[in-house]
Amino acid sequence: MKFMMIMYPRDYGKAQPGFTPPQEAMVRMGAYNDTLAKAGVLVALDGLTPPATMSARVTFPGGKAKVVDGPFPEAKEVVGGFWIIKADSPEEAKQWASKIPGADTEMVEIRRFYDASDFDPECQKKFADRLAEDQYTPGNQK
């Protein structure tokens, strides 16, 4: 199973343009990331700039895209970064998240990715056919 661990730094919505995390926090997080990689569970990770640096929202009223540039001062929770990990169970994903060197002002949400087995057999066959045709690799779309 794959899980996303989503970091919410509580004060991130108020961070000024150009903000970067303190070096000591980056060192601690780097060591944690190395642990994930060495354990073979890390799929991907990245950090996001605060909304004041660059943000936009796209909504679709009436099916048409509407873009609104940020920042959005009313936002209560702002994503600061994420990890995608492989784990055998939700409990294992929770254990990995519990090892994040977070601060008092940070929270991590864990979400499981959909798996083909979550869908009915007809959808599963369609997924398998698309994967067999390699339609999800950039440049291979027909």
Side-chain angles (χ1 to χ4, degrees), residues 4 6-9 12 15 19-21 45-54 78-82:
M4 180 176 278
I6 308 160
M7 173 67 79
Y8 294 93
Y12 216 50
F19 168 84
T20 58
L45 62 89
D46 223 326
L48 301 168
T49 60
T53 299
M54 186 278 151
V78 176
V79 175
F82 68 91

Side-chain angles (χ1 to χ4, degrees), residues 53-117:
T53 299
M54 186 278 151
S55 62
R57 290 181 180 168
V58 182
T59 57
F60 302 91
K64 295 186 181 210
K66 177 183 176 188
V67 178
V68 177
D69 289 325
F72 305 99
E74 74 281 2
K76 291 182 180 146
E77 294 179 343
V78 176
V79 175
F82 68 91
W83 299 262
I84 297 174
I85 62 169
K86 294 180 291 187
D88 292 329
S89 66
E91 291 72 27
E92 182 185 355
K94 291 174 194 175
Q95 289 173 357
W96 282 112
S98 296
K99 296 176 182 178
I100 293 169
D104 290 346
T105 58
E106 296 172 328
M107 171 187 69
V108 173
E109 178 180 349
I110 307 162
R111 303 273 301 274
R112 184 176 68 84
F113 280 85
Y114 276 115
D115 183 82
S117 64

